Amino acid sequence: MKGSTPTVYLASPVFREIADNPRVSVKFKFMINKVWSNLNTVARVVTAESRFPSLAEMKKAIEENEADFIGCHIGHRVPEEIVSIASIKGVATSNVGWNHIHLHPGVLVTNTPGVLAGTTADYTISLILSNLRNIVGLNNYLWEGKWGPDERWDLDRHITKNTENLTYGILGLGEIGREVVKRVAPWGIHIAYHDIFQSLEMEEKYPNLTYYEDVEQLFKISDIVSLHIPLDESTHHFVGERLLRLMRPRALLVNTARGGIIDTAALIRLLKTKEISIHLAFDVFEEEPIPPATLQAFREILSERPDLRFIFTPHTATGDADTRARMSATMLSNLNAMVHSTSVRDIKELNLIPPL
Protein backbone atom coordinates (compact mmCIF):
# COMPACT_ATOMS: atom_id res chain seq x y z
CA MET A 1 0.00 0.00 0.00
CA LYS A 2 1.18 3.53 -0.74
CA GLY A 3 1.35 6.26 1.86
CA SER A 4 -0.40 9.63 1.82
CA THR A 5 1.92 11.03 -0.87
CA PRO A 6 0.11 11.14 -4.26
CA THR A 7 1.49 8.89 -6.99
CA VAL A 8 1.99 10.01 -10.59
CA TYR A 9 2.44 7.45 -13.36
CA LEU A 10 4.26 8.69 -16.47
CA ALA A 11 3.64 6.57 -19.55
CA SER A 12 7.10 7.38 -20.95
CA PRO A 13 10.54 8.53 -19.74
CA VAL A 14 10.60 11.03 -22.63
CA PHE A 15 8.91 13.72 -20.55
CA ARG A 16 12.14 14.22 -18.58
CA GLU A 17 14.61 12.91 -21.18
CA ILE A 18 13.65 15.51 -23.78
CA ALA A 19 15.53 18.04 -21.64
CA ASP A 20 18.73 16.20 -22.64
CA ASN A 21 18.12 16.71 -26.35
CA PRO A 22 20.85 18.99 -27.74
CA ARG A 23 18.33 20.79 -29.99
CA VAL A 24 16.32 22.03 -27.00
CA SER A 25 17.21 25.56 -25.87
CA VAL A 26 18.79 26.06 -22.44
CA LYS A 27 15.71 27.99 -21.32
CA PHE A 28 13.40 25.03 -21.88
CA LYS A 29 15.90 22.49 -20.50
CA PHE A 30 15.86 24.50 -17.29
CA MET A 31 12.07 24.73 -17.34
CA ILE A 32 11.62 20.95 -17.62
CA ASN A 33 14.21 20.16 -14.94
CA LYS A 34 12.65 22.67 -12.57
CA VAL A 35 9.10 21.39 -12.92
CA TRP A 36 10.41 17.80 -12.80
CA SER A 37 12.12 18.55 -9.49
CA ASN A 38 8.99 20.19 -8.13
CA LEU A 39 6.83 17.23 -9.12
CA ASN A 40 9.17 14.75 -7.45
CA THR A 41 9.08 16.83 -4.30
CA VAL A 42 5.31 16.58 -3.87
CA ALA A 43 4.58 13.21 -5.47
CA ARG A 44 5.97 9.74 -5.92
CA VAL A 45 6.71 9.55 -9.63
CA VAL A 46 6.60 6.14 -11.32
CA THR A 47 7.92 6.17 -14.89
CA ALA A 48 7.37 3.48 -17.50
CA GLU A 49 10.57 1.68 -18.47
CA SER A 50 9.83 1.98 -22.20
CA ARG A 51 8.44 4.88 -24.18
CA PHE A 52 5.45 2.91 -25.41
CA PRO A 53 4.28 0.48 -22.74
CA SER A 54 1.52 -1.91 -23.68
CA LEU A 55 -1.96 -1.41 -22.28
CA ALA A 56 -1.41 -4.39 -19.98
CA GLU A 57 1.87 -2.92 -18.72
CA MET A 58 0.26 0.45 -18.06
CA LYS A 59 -2.64 -1.10 -16.21
CA LYS A 60 -0.38 -3.30 -14.08
CA ALA A 61 1.88 -0.39 -13.10
CA ILE A 62 -1.05 1.89 -12.27
CA GLU A 63 -2.85 -0.72 -10.19
CA GLU A 64 0.26 -1.94 -8.34
CA ASN A 65 1.28 1.62 -7.46
CA GLU A 66 -2.29 2.86 -6.88
CA ALA A 67 -1.49 5.83 -9.11
CA ASP A 68 -3.57 8.96 -8.66
CA PHE A 69 -2.54 10.75 -11.85
CA ILE A 70 -1.32 9.78 -15.33
CA GLY A 71 0.97 11.72 -17.67
CA CYS A 72 0.84 10.75 -21.34
CA HIS A 73 0.96 11.91 -24.94
CA ILE A 74 -0.97 11.02 -28.09
CA GLY A 75 1.14 7.92 -28.59
CA HIS A 76 -0.37 6.45 -25.41
CA ARG A 77 -3.96 5.26 -25.56
CA VAL A 78 -5.72 5.76 -22.22
CA PRO A 79 -9.00 3.86 -22.60
CA GLU A 80 -11.86 3.32 -20.19
CA GLU A 81 -10.23 0.32 -18.52
CA ILE A 82 -7.39 2.60 -17.42
CA VAL A 83 -9.29 5.73 -16.34
CA SER A 84 -11.88 3.63 -14.51
CA ILE A 85 -9.23 2.27 -12.12
CA ALA A 86 -10.45 3.40 -8.69
CA SER A 87 -7.32 5.34 -7.70
CA ILE A 88 -7.19 7.53 -10.82
CA LYS A 89 -8.13 11.17 -10.27
CA GLY A 90 -6.68 12.88 -13.33
CA VAL A 91 -4.89 12.49 -16.66
CA ALA A 92 -2.57 15.08 -18.23
CA THR A 93 -1.59 14.88 -21.90
CA SER A 94 1.24 16.85 -23.47
CA ASN A 95 -0.82 17.33 -26.65
CA VAL A 96 -3.64 19.76 -27.36
CA GLY A 97 -5.76 16.89 -28.72
CA TRP A 98 -7.32 14.50 -26.23
CA ASN A 99 -9.03 11.88 -28.39
CA HIS A 100 -6.60 9.23 -27.11
CA ILE A 101 -8.10 9.58 -23.61
CA HIS A 102 -11.46 8.19 -22.55
CA LEU A 103 -13.43 10.86 -20.68
CA HIS A 104 -14.58 9.20 -17.46
CA PRO A 105 -16.91 10.82 -14.88
CA GLY A 106 -14.94 12.22 -11.96
CA VAL A 107 -11.54 12.02 -13.68
CA LEU A 108 -9.88 15.33 -14.61
CA VAL A 109 -8.26 15.63 -18.04
CA THR A 110 -5.88 18.44 -19.00
CA ASN A 111 -4.14 19.28 -22.28
CA THR A 112 -1.61 21.88 -23.47
CA PRO A 113 -3.33 24.62 -25.50
CA GLY A 114 -1.35 27.70 -26.42
CA VAL A 115 1.92 25.81 -26.64
CA LEU A 116 1.95 24.40 -30.15
CA ALA A 117 -0.41 26.61 -32.17
CA GLY A 118 2.27 28.72 -33.86
CA THR A 119 4.47 25.75 -34.70
CA THR A 120 1.56 23.82 -36.19
CA ALA A 121 0.47 26.87 -38.19
CA ASP A 122 3.98 27.23 -39.62
CA TYR A 123 3.99 23.57 -40.62
CA THR A 124 0.55 23.87 -42.20
CA ILE A 125 1.74 26.71 -44.39
CA SER A 126 4.91 24.78 -45.27
CA LEU A 127 2.77 21.88 -46.50
CA ILE A 128 0.59 24.24 -48.55
CA LEU A 129 3.49 25.97 -50.28
CA SER A 130 5.34 22.69 -50.85
CA ASN A 131 2.27 21.21 -52.51
CA LEU A 132 1.28 24.25 -54.56
CA ARG A 133 4.80 24.63 -55.99
CA ASN A 134 5.45 20.85 -56.17
CA ILE A 135 8.69 21.28 -54.22
CA VAL A 136 8.85 17.65 -53.09
CA GLY A 137 8.19 16.34 -56.60
CA LEU A 138 10.75 18.64 -58.21
CA ASN A 139 13.32 17.80 -55.55
CA ASN A 140 12.85 14.09 -56.25
CA TYR A 141 12.94 14.76 -60.00
CA LEU A 142 16.37 16.32 -59.70
CA TRP A 143 17.87 13.76 -57.30
CA GLU A 144 16.59 10.88 -59.41
CA GLY A 145 18.71 12.20 -62.28
CA LYS A 146 15.79 13.13 -64.53
CA TRP A 147 17.03 16.69 -65.17
CA GLY A 148 19.13 15.75 -68.18
CA PRO A 149 21.24 17.80 -70.60
CA ASP A 150 18.43 17.90 -73.17
CA GLU A 151 16.02 19.55 -70.76
CA ARG A 152 16.67 23.27 -70.69
CA TRP A 153 14.75 25.97 -68.91
CA ASP A 154 11.61 26.99 -70.81
CA LEU A 155 8.56 29.14 -70.12
CA ASP A 156 6.08 26.29 -69.90
CA ARG A 157 8.23 23.71 -68.08
CA HIS A 158 7.45 22.61 -64.50
CA ILE A 159 4.60 25.10 -64.17
CA THR A 160 2.84 25.16 -60.79
CA LYS A 161 0.64 27.67 -58.94
CA ASN A 162 1.40 30.31 -56.31
CA THR A 163 -1.02 31.74 -53.76
CA GLU A 164 -2.07 34.78 -55.75
CA ASN A 165 -5.80 34.95 -56.55
CA LEU A 166 -6.57 31.85 -54.48
CA THR A 167 -9.25 31.42 -51.82
CA TYR A 168 -7.96 29.81 -48.65
CA GLY A 169 -10.65 28.01 -46.64
CA ILE A 170 -10.09 27.32 -42.94
CA LEU A 171 -12.27 24.84 -41.07
CA GLY A 172 -12.02 25.78 -37.40
CA LEU A 173 -10.88 29.17 -36.11
CA GLY A 174 -9.45 28.02 -32.79
CA GLU A 175 -5.90 28.67 -31.62
CA ILE A 176 -4.20 27.06 -34.61
CA GLY A 177 -6.68 28.42 -37.14
CA ARG A 178 -6.08 31.94 -35.82
CA GLU A 179 -2.32 31.52 -36.04
CA VAL A 180 -2.70 30.43 -39.66
CA VAL A 181 -4.77 33.54 -40.42
CA LYS A 182 -2.11 35.78 -38.83
CA ARG A 183 0.49 34.30 -41.15
CA VAL A 184 -1.40 34.23 -44.45
CA ALA A 185 -3.45 37.43 -44.14
CA PRO A 186 -0.50 39.62 -45.28
CA TRP A 187 -0.42 37.64 -48.54
CA GLY A 188 -3.56 39.52 -49.54
CA ILE A 189 -5.51 36.39 -50.52
CA HIS A 190 -9.16 35.83 -49.67
CA ILE A 191 -9.44 33.80 -46.47
CA ALA A 192 -12.76 32.07 -45.83
CA TYR A 193 -13.51 30.30 -42.56
CA HIS A 194 -16.18 28.19 -40.92
CA ASP A 195 -16.53 27.71 -37.19
CA ILE A 196 -19.35 27.16 -34.72
CA PHE A 197 -18.82 30.80 -33.70
CA GLN A 198 -18.20 33.81 -35.90
CA SER A 199 -15.25 35.99 -34.83
CA LEU A 200 -16.05 39.63 -35.52
CA GLU A 201 -12.83 40.58 -33.74
CA MET A 202 -10.71 38.58 -36.20
CA GLU A 203 -12.68 39.87 -39.19
CA GLU A 204 -12.14 43.45 -38.07
CA LYS A 205 -8.42 42.82 -37.64
CA TYR A 206 -8.07 41.02 -40.97
CA PRO A 207 -10.35 42.58 -43.65
CA ASN A 208 -9.66 39.74 -46.11
CA LEU A 209 -11.17 37.20 -43.65
CA THR A 210 -14.80 36.18 -44.32
CA TYR A 211 -17.10 33.97 -42.27
CA TYR A 212 -19.12 31.24 -43.99
CA GLU A 213 -21.93 29.85 -41.87
CA ASP A 214 -22.52 27.12 -44.49
CA VAL A 215 -19.59 24.68 -44.43
CA GLU A 216 -20.62 23.30 -47.82
CA GLN A 217 -20.18 26.73 -49.36
CA LEU A 218 -16.70 26.93 -47.83
CA PHE A 219 -15.70 23.69 -49.56
CA LYS A 220 -17.24 24.83 -52.85
CA ILE A 221 -15.40 28.14 -53.12
CA SER A 222 -11.98 27.27 -51.67
CA ASP A 223 -8.81 26.45 -53.61
CA ILE A 224 -7.22 25.32 -50.35
CA VAL A 225 -9.05 23.80 -47.39
CA SER A 226 -7.11 23.24 -44.17
CA LEU A 227 -8.58 21.49 -41.13
CA HIS A 228 -8.14 22.87 -37.62
CA ILE A 229 -10.91 21.29 -35.55
CA PRO A 230 -10.63 18.77 -32.70
CA LEU A 231 -11.58 15.14 -33.18
CA ASP A 232 -14.56 13.98 -31.15
CA GLU A 233 -17.82 12.17 -31.80
CA SER A 234 -19.29 15.17 -33.62
CA THR A 235 -16.31 15.65 -35.96
CA HIS A 236 -15.43 12.03 -36.71
CA HIS A 237 -15.51 11.68 -40.53
CA PHE A 238 -16.81 15.26 -40.72
CA VAL A 239 -15.05 15.57 -44.07
CA GLY A 240 -16.76 12.70 -45.84
CA GLU A 241 -18.08 11.99 -49.30
CA ARG A 242 -20.55 14.90 -49.25
CA LEU A 243 -17.91 17.60 -48.62
CA LEU A 244 -15.19 15.92 -50.68
CA ARG A 245 -17.44 15.94 -53.76
CA LEU A 246 -17.90 19.70 -53.36
CA MET A 247 -14.21 20.53 -53.63
CA ARG A 248 -12.97 22.25 -56.76
CA PRO A 249 -10.92 20.27 -59.26
CA ARG A 250 -7.22 20.54 -58.29
CA ALA A 251 -8.07 22.09 -54.91
CA LEU A 252 -5.78 21.22 -52.00
CA LEU A 253 -6.97 19.48 -48.82
CA VAL A 254 -4.64 19.96 -45.84
CA ASN A 255 -4.89 18.13 -42.52
CA THR A 256 -2.63 18.85 -39.54
CA ALA A 257 -5.44 18.29 -37.01
CA ARG A 258 -6.51 14.65 -36.59
CA GLY A 259 -6.78 11.91 -39.21
CA GLY A 260 -10.20 10.72 -38.12
CA ILE A 261 -11.79 13.99 -39.22
CA ILE A 262 -11.52 12.70 -42.81
CA ASP A 263 -13.30 9.57 -44.03
CA THR A 264 -10.21 7.94 -45.52
CA ALA A 265 -12.11 5.12 -47.21
CA ALA A 266 -14.41 7.58 -48.98
CA LEU A 267 -11.45 9.74 -50.01
CA ILE A 268 -9.59 6.78 -51.55
CA ARG A 269 -12.69 5.52 -53.33
CA LEU A 270 -13.51 8.90 -54.87
CA LEU A 271 -9.93 9.41 -56.01
CA LYS A 272 -9.70 5.91 -57.48
CA THR A 273 -12.91 6.31 -59.45
CA LYS A 274 -11.84 9.80 -60.56
CA GLU A 275 -15.00 11.34 -59.13
CA ILE A 276 -12.83 13.97 -57.45
CA SER A 277 -9.47 15.46 -58.44
CA ILE A 278 -7.82 17.07 -55.44
CA HIS A 279 -4.29 17.41 -54.08
CA LEU A 280 -3.53 16.27 -50.51
CA ALA A 281 -1.14 17.43 -47.78
CA PHE A 282 -1.55 15.33 -44.62
CA ASP A 283 0.46 15.16 -41.41
CA VAL A 284 -2.12 13.03 -39.59
CA PHE A 285 -3.97 9.86 -40.50
CA GLU A 286 -6.99 7.92 -39.37
CA GLU A 287 -4.73 5.12 -38.18
CA GLU A 288 -1.16 5.84 -37.16
CA PRO A 289 1.33 4.78 -38.33
CA ILE A 290 -0.46 4.76 -41.68
CA PRO A 291 -1.25 1.12 -42.58
CA PRO A 292 0.72 -0.31 -45.53
CA ALA A 293 -2.52 -1.12 -47.38
CA THR A 294 -3.69 2.49 -47.09
CA LEU A 295 -0.34 3.82 -48.26
CA GLN A 296 -0.37 1.40 -51.18
CA ALA A 297 -3.85 2.57 -52.18
CA PHE A 298 -2.58 6.16 -52.39
CA ARG A 299 0.49 4.98 -54.33
CA GLU A 300 -1.75 3.29 -56.88
CA ILE A 301 -3.83 6.44 -57.25
CA LEU A 302 -0.71 8.51 -57.92
CA SER A 303 0.57 6.01 -60.47
CA GLU A 304 -2.72 6.28 -62.37
CA ARG A 305 -3.11 10.02 -61.79
CA PRO A 306 0.35 11.66 -61.89
CA ASP A 307 -1.29 15.07 -62.20
CA LEU A 308 -2.21 14.89 -58.49
CA ARG A 309 0.22 15.79 -55.71
CA PHE A 310 0.19 14.05 -52.32
CA ILE A 311 2.52 15.11 -49.49
CA PHE A 312 2.32 12.86 -46.43
CA THR A 313 4.42 13.34 -43.27
CA PRO A 314 4.47 11.23 -40.06
CA HIS A 315 2.52 13.40 -37.57
CA THR A 316 5.35 15.81 -36.94
CA ALA A 317 3.81 19.28 -37.24
CA THR A 318 4.77 20.04 -33.62
CA GLY A 319 8.26 18.63 -34.12
CA ASP A 320 10.12 21.83 -33.27
CA ALA A 321 12.50 20.98 -30.39
CA ASP A 322 11.49 23.85 -28.13
CA THR A 323 7.79 23.32 -28.82
CA ARG A 324 8.03 19.66 -27.83
CA ALA A 325 9.97 20.67 -24.71
CA ARG A 326 7.27 23.21 -23.77
CA MET A 327 4.61 20.56 -24.32
CA SER A 328 6.38 18.29 -21.83
CA ALA A 329 6.98 21.09 -19.31
CA THR A 330 3.35 22.21 -19.49
CA MET A 331 2.06 18.66 -18.99
CA LEU A 332 4.35 18.17 -15.96
CA SER A 333 3.22 21.54 -14.61
CA ASN A 334 -0.42 20.49 -15.01
CA LEU A 335 0.33 17.32 -13.03
CA ASN A 336 1.94 19.48 -10.34
CA ALA A 337 -1.19 21.60 -10.12
CA MET A 338 -3.47 18.58 -9.85
CA VAL A 339 -1.27 16.97 -7.18
CA HIS A 340 -1.33 20.20 -5.14
CA SER A 341 -5.06 20.79 -5.55
CA THR A 342 -7.51 20.41 -2.70
CA SER A 343 -10.50 22.05 -4.39
CA VAL A 344 -11.77 23.18 -7.81
CA ARG A 345 -10.37 26.66 -7.12
CA ASP A 346 -6.85 25.25 -7.20
CA ILE A 347 -7.16 24.04 -10.80
CA LYS A 348 -9.27 26.84 -12.29
CA GLU A 349 -6.28 28.04 -14.33
CA LEU A 350 -5.83 24.65 -16.04
CA ASN A 351 -7.44 23.86 -19.35
CA LEU A 352 -9.80 21.05 -18.41
CA ILE A 353 -11.57 18.70 -20.81
CA PRO A 354 -14.46 19.25 -20.56
CA PRO A 355 -14.39 22.59 -18.73
CA LEU A 356 -15.75 22.61 -15.19
Side-chain angles (χ1 to χ4, degrees):
M1 295 288 290
K2 67 172 183 177
S4 58
T5 302
T7 298
V8 172
Y9 171 75
L10 296 179
S12 171
V14 72
F15 299 115
R16 215 291 318 159
E17 290 177 353
I18 193 170
D20 300 329
N21 190 302
R23 292 185 177 88
V24 173
S25 300
V26 172
K27 171 184 176 181
F28 296 109
K29 290 176 182 287
F30 176 80
M31 183 185 296
I32 290 174
N33 287 325
K34 181 180 179 181
V35 72
W36 176 258
S37 176
N38 291 342
L39 183 62
N40 278 270
T41 299
V42 297
R44 184 170 69 100
V45 180
V46 177
T47 305
E49 294 182 1
S50 68
R51 293 195 171 196
F52 298 98
S54 67
L55 192 59
E57 290 170 333
M58 288 177 62
K59 186 176 182 181
K60 181 181 178 183
I62 290 167
E63 288 179 335
E64 288 183 350
N65 291 282
E66 297 182 62
D68 299 280
F69 303 98
I70 300 171
C72 65
H73 60 55
I74 194 172
H76 308 118
R77 192 167 65 89
V78 186
E80 185 174 11
E81 64 181 286
I82 296 293
V83 291
S84 61
I85 294 172
S87 63
I88 294 298
K89 301 175 181 64
V91 182
T93 178
S94 61
N95 300 85
V96 68
W98 66 90
N99 56 292
H100 54 295
I101 303 170
H102 177 82
L103 300 182
H104 188 73
V107 175
L108 299 171
V109 175
T110 72
N111 64 347
T112 58
V115 175
L116 48 81
T119 299
T120 304
D122 285 348
Y123 198 87
T124 300
I125 294 167
S126 298
L127 287 176
I128 290 170
L129 295 177
S130 294
N131 198 293
L132 289 179
R133 301 306 305 274
N134 194 26
I135 290 173
V136 174
L138 292 172
N139 174 77
N140 294 339
Y141 179 87
L142 187 149
W143 281 101
E144 291 167 3
K146 295 178 180 178
W147 193 23
D150 294 333
E151 185 179 332
R152 299 182 181 182
W153 186 96
D154 209 346
L155 283 172
D156 60 355
R157 191 177 299 280
H158 303 308
I159 287 178
T160 55
K161 182 71 177 174
N162 66 16
T163 59
E164 194 173 350
N165 300 319
L166 298 184
T167 295
Y168 183 6
I170 294 177
L171 181 59
L173 203 66
E175 285 188 332
I176 297 172
R178 288 168 180 252
E179 289 294 325
V180 170
V181 171
K182 284 169 56 177
R183 286 156 171 75
V184 302
W187 297 357
I189 65 173
H190 176 218
I191 309 170
Y193 78 98
H194 172 82
D195 196 277
I196 54 175
F197 300 111
Q198 182 176 4
S199 176
L200 297 177
E201 176 191 359
M202 287 289 287
E203 291 174 28
E204 183 176 352
K205 190 172 183 179
Y206 303 104
N208 50 335
L209 178 66
T210 306
Y211 177 65
Y212 282 78
E213 184 175 4
D214 184 356
V215 69
E216 291 190 0
Q217 189 64 20
L218 180 83
F219 274 71
K220 285 179 181 178
I221 60 101
S222 298
D223 300 288
I224 305 163
V225 177
S226 63
L227 312 181
H228 304 289
I229 56 177
L231 175 61
D232 56 29
E233 291 182 0
S234 67
T235 60
H236 180 252
H237 286 183
F238 187 86
V239 181
E241 182 170 342
R242 176 176 59 93
L243 292 179
L244 290 169
R245 286 184 178 277
L246 296 177
M247 294 188 69
R248 290 179 170 183
R250 304 187 70 78
L252 170 61
L253 179 62
V254 186
N255 191 6
T256 55
R258 286 293 182 268
I261 295 168
I262 298 174
D263 184 344
T264 307
L267 174 63
I268 290 173
R269 185 179 68 255
L270 292 172
L271 287 168
K272 274 189 172 182
T273 57
K274 301 184 180 180
E275 294 175 74
I276 61 173
S277 298
I278 61 174
H279 305 301
L280 307 176
F282 293 171
D283 182 55
V284 290
F285 302 89
E286 196 160 358
E287 185 179 342
E288 296 180 355
I290 184 170
T294 302
L295 191 58
Q296 182 59 29
F298 283 114
R299 280 200 189 100
E300 291 173 359
I301 291 167
L302 281 180
S303 66
E304 296 176 4
R305 310 188 64 183
D307 57 309
L308 300 181
R309 293 190 292 273
F310 299 167
I311 296 179
F312 293 164
T313 57
H315 201 151
T316 191
T318 62
D320 166 71
D322 285 348
T323 299
R324 291 281 175 86
R326 288 179 63 202
M327 290 165 67
S328 180
T330 303
M331 186 274 288
L332 293 171
S333 180
N334 288 345
L335 285 170
N336 254 315
M338 288 195 289
V339 167
H340 275 106
S341 65
T342 57
S343 70
V344 173
R345 290 193 303 273
D346 298 328
I347 54 173
K348 65 180 181 179
E349 299 301 322
L350 298 183
N351 194 74
L352 297 174
I353 309 298
L356 292 175

